[in-house]
Amino acid sequence: MPRVRVEVDGATYEDDVEPRLLLVHYLRERLGKVGTPVGCDTSNCGACTVLLDGMSVKSCSVLTVQADGCDVTTIEGLGSPGGQSPPATGRSVPAGSHPLQRAFHEEHALQCGYCTPGMIMASLDLLRENPDPSEEEVRAGLEGNLCRCTGYQNIVRAVRRAAREMRELAERVVTP
Amino acid sequence: MIPATFDYTRPASVDDAVRALSDAGEDAKLLAGGQSLMPLLRLRLAFPDALIDLGRVDALREIRDEGDTLLVGAMATHHQVIRDPLVRAHLPLLARAAETVADPAVRHRGTFGGSLVHADPAGDLPAVALALDAVFLVRSVRGEREIRASEFFVDWMTSAMEPDELLVGVRMPKLGSGWGVHYEKFHRTAQAWAIVGVACAVRRDGDVVEDARVALTNMGPVPVRAGGVENAVRGRPVSEGTFRSAAEHATEGTEPPSDLHGSAEYRSHLATVLTARALTACTA
Ligand SMILES: Cc1cc2nc3c(=O)[nH]c(=O)nc-3n(C[C@H](O)[C@H](O)[C@H](O)COP(=O)(O)OP(=O)(O)OC[C@H]3O[C@@H](n4cnc5c(N)ncnc54)[C@H](O)[C@@H]3O)c2cc1C
Ligand code: FES
Ligand code: FES
């Protein structure tokens, strides 16, 4: 069995894996990172989106052996648990949550929540390339992620809200 | 579902890849971006004995200026092609069409070469390759050969490549100055395959159409070059009338499929309307 070495959410793992093991199954079943769900068999829904070397991929369409030597970020790697974050007006957002996680909560951008990890990871990828997307650009950036509940309106609002906050945070960091 | 078992190799060079493909025999498959192959493996519509992963053959990702032509490596991703300054400057039609493929995550992994070899009639890039008079560079342990785009797409999801051959790259003549380009893709939901697509480039000289290239997506088992349309616009004034009447030729030589996205008749209607729109957009 091939041996892989991957960095996932900041920790390094070395494992023997079957070549046919999908990255999403490795994350969920081997590493216990069940924050990343599987929603389809056809790479259409985007629920399983993670960052591979910084770029969004559908982890159900990648073999674990293909990720050998790469850096993977899942929804579980976002934010800084236990860290500081501006107090949210809602109650149940854990301290240290990522601005996207907070904004999805604040804007009611989820109902069942199944699409949310993928939506947030795809949004992160979008904001890396375009820190101030228009409504239309958010929709285009998330075209590979399906949501059966929300009708997308609040998701778009949440992404733009998080973008604003992330820009402000970035400014605060550069201007001491 | 979980794919069936297979052997896995990850060659580091084209030579090694070609040898591995030959050694593995007919039931081996090359793995490029996996954006078509992985779903097929998961659905067990494909169950190769061996996968040869091209992901670490860096030489195949290169996009090179060859003077009058550009050589786009088979493993250049859609994402890479869209942003490449050479492609944007010399083959803007390719960049335009690649932007309409799938969604950002799929474009990060899916490759130009994989899209062409896969030869899906609804794929956007085969028609572009046809419109741009592309030449496919193919390699096997038996040697190298070139296949012209007009001979590359043989049938539904079938290319002219042999099972032991690897697509190295695609050579396309630079368009040169004076060309306007457009890819008109019709689909009903945000991220979807083309029901019909039109790849189009028009060169104008003042108010006259000097030259045109038109090819259609999903109007038959293989992409179709719309020679009738091209002839009907050459030397004619740039006008809505020219484009409308030329677009009537769009269905010549096509065999549009009927499926749940649309009947053959509907597709023929679309081809005419979209061709007129594409010609107009090229000269706007
Ligand atoms: C959700 C979704 C939506 C999509 N929407 C679109 C769309 O709108 N338009 C569109 O055009 N495409 C679309 N695609 C397909 C996408 O463009 C794929 O990238 C492409 O079809 C295949 O490229 P790949 O690199 O992923 O190839 P793979 O899946 O790795 O391979 C595909 C086939 O080509 C063979 N192959 C690959 N590279 C080579 C090579 N160098 N030499 C010889 N054989 C090779 C493989 O053996 C395999 O048979 C979509 C895919 C998904 C998952
Ligand atoms: S589970 Fe990966 S795209 Fe649906
Ligand atoms: S919140 Fe249920 S699928 Fe998006």
Side-chain angles (χ1 to χ4, degrees):
Chain A
M1 250 191 267
R3 192 166 185 79
V4 295
R5 186 190 165 91
V6 272
E7 177 139 336
V8 183
D9 297 336
T12 305
Y13 301 87
E14 270 194 65
D15 273 303
D16 295 323
V17 296
E18 260 194 296
R20 63 171 170 167
L21 182 67
L22 303 174
L23 179 60
V24 70
H25 291 145
Y26 176 70
L27 294 172
R28 290 177 60 82
E29 287 157 24
R30 208 55 95 73
L31 305 188
K33 296 211 167 253
V34 292
T36 304
V38 183
C40 72
D41 262 334
T42 50
S43 300
N44 269 288
C45 75
C48 65
T49 305
V50 300
L51 304 187
L52 185 64
D53 284 342
M55 297 222 273
S56 64
V57 301
K58 296 181 180 180
S59 60
C60 71
S61 73
V62 179
L63 298 170
T64 311
V65 282
Q66 289 178 287
D68 183 24
C70 298
D71 187 44
V72 179
T73 309
T74 77
I75 187 74
E76 298 188 17
L78 291 200
S80 45
Q84 295 274 308
S85 67
T89 49
R91 278 144 308 227
S92 57
V93 193
S97 297
H98 188 275
L100 273 163
Q101 292 170 315
R102 277 205 303 281
F104 267 62
H105 176 90
E106 299 285 320
E107 296 290 349
H108 301 284
L110 57 145
Q111 287 173 29
C112 79
Y114 207 87
C115 68
T116 311
M119 284 288 178
I120 289 183
M121 298 315 287
S123 302
L124 195 61
D125 184 74
L126 166 70
L127 297 182
R128 173 179 56 79
E129 288 213 336
N130 180 357
D132 187 11
S134 65
E135 178 176 337
E136 214 172 296
E137 286 166 338
V138 173
R139 288 178 187 279
L142 299 182
E143 69 182 324
N145 294 73
L146 304 182
C147 176
R148 303 299 294 245
C149 302
T150 63
Y152 302 101
Q153 291 294 114
N154 291 355
I155 293 176
V156 175
R157 215 170 289 150
V159 174
R160 298 197 68 204
R161 176 177 178 148
R164 213 176 310 125
E165 196 179 314
M166 287 163 71
R167 287 197 308 276
E168 283 166 13
L169 280 171
E171 270 165 32
R172 238 179 284 157
V173 171
V174 288
T175 48
Chain B
M1 280 197 324
I2 296 169
T5 52
F6 49 79
D7 291 330
Y8 174 83
T9 41
R10 193 165 64 206
S13 70
V14 177
D15 283 343
D16 289 350
V18 162
R19 204 167 312 116
L21 186 58
S22 161
D23 291 348
E26 291 238 343
D27 287 329
K29 276 241 161 251
L30 294 169
L31 173 63
Q35 300 304 295
S36 293
L37 191 51
M38 288 307 303
L40 292 176
L41 295 176
R42 289 182 65 197
L43 296 167
R44 301 220 178 175
L45 292 171
F47 28 84
D49 289 342
L51 279 191
I52 298 155
D53 181 2
L54 298 177
R56 308 287 161 103
V57 187
D58 292 339
L60 291 174
R61 296 203 190 269
E62 204 185 332
I63 299 177
R64 198 161 66 218
D65 193 336
E66 302 182 309
D68 292 338
T69 55
L70 277 196
L71 180 65
V72 179
M75 287 295 289
T77 61
H78 303 312
H79 177 85
Q80 183 187 346
V81 163
I82 292 165
R83 283 160 184 76
D84 187 83
L86 289 170
V87 173
R88 297 188 75 88
H90 303 297
L91 300 173
L93 176 60
L94 174 56
R96 273 290 189 89
E99 281 171 1
T100 75
V101 170
D103 55 67
V106 171
R107 292 195 293 267
H108 286 151
R109 295 204 58 84
T111 66
F112 184 44
S115 300
L116 298 170
V117 179
H118 197 57
D120 190 316
D124 297 297
L125 304 180
V128 173
L130 191 61
L132 294 175
D133 294 324
V135 174
F136 292 67
L137 311 187
V138 162
R139 177 107 71 93
S140 72
V141 286
R142 294 172 289 120
E144 253 177 0
R145 64 179 179 128
E146 300 187 347
I147 309 173
R148 292 211 308 247
S150 53
E151 284 151 19
F152 187 82
F153 303 102
V154 188
D155 202 348
W156 188 82
M157 301 191 88
T158 310
S159 80
M161 287 174 60
E162 299 294 334
D164 70 338
E165 286 181 321
L166 177 149
L167 178 66
V168 175
V170 181
R171 175 170 289 143
M172 289 162 282
K174 291 179 180 173
L175 267 184
S177 60
W179 287 89
V181 300
H182 187 71
Y183 185 69
E184 182 76 21
K185 174 171 174 174
F186 190 83
H187 51 104
R188 295 193 306 180
T189 53
Q191 173 254 82
W193 297 79
I195 298 175
V196 172
V198 182
C200 189
V202 177
R203 180 181 223 160
R204 58 190 287 181
D205 180 9
D207 289 333
V208 176
V209 176
E210 192 181 285
D211 201 0
R213 313 273 191 80
V214 184
L216 308 174
T217 297
N218 217 3
M219 283 296 287
V222 294
V224 183
R225 183 84 180 245
V229 176
E230 296 177 359
N231 290 333
V233 292
R234 270 194 207 105
R236 311 283 305 171
V238 172
S239 73
E240 198 186 323
T242 298
F243 297 151
R244 283 259 191 100
S245 63
E248 295 298 325
H249 296 276
T251 54
E252 287 168 11
T254 63
E255 305 165 53
S258 284
D259 55 29
L260 85 171
H261 301 294
S263 63
E265 192 190 1
Y266 175 62
R267 281 198 163 83
S268 294
H269 171 70
L270 273 182
T272 311
V273 173
L274 301 180
T275 298
R277 276 189 205 163
L279 289 164
T280 306
C282 285
T283 51

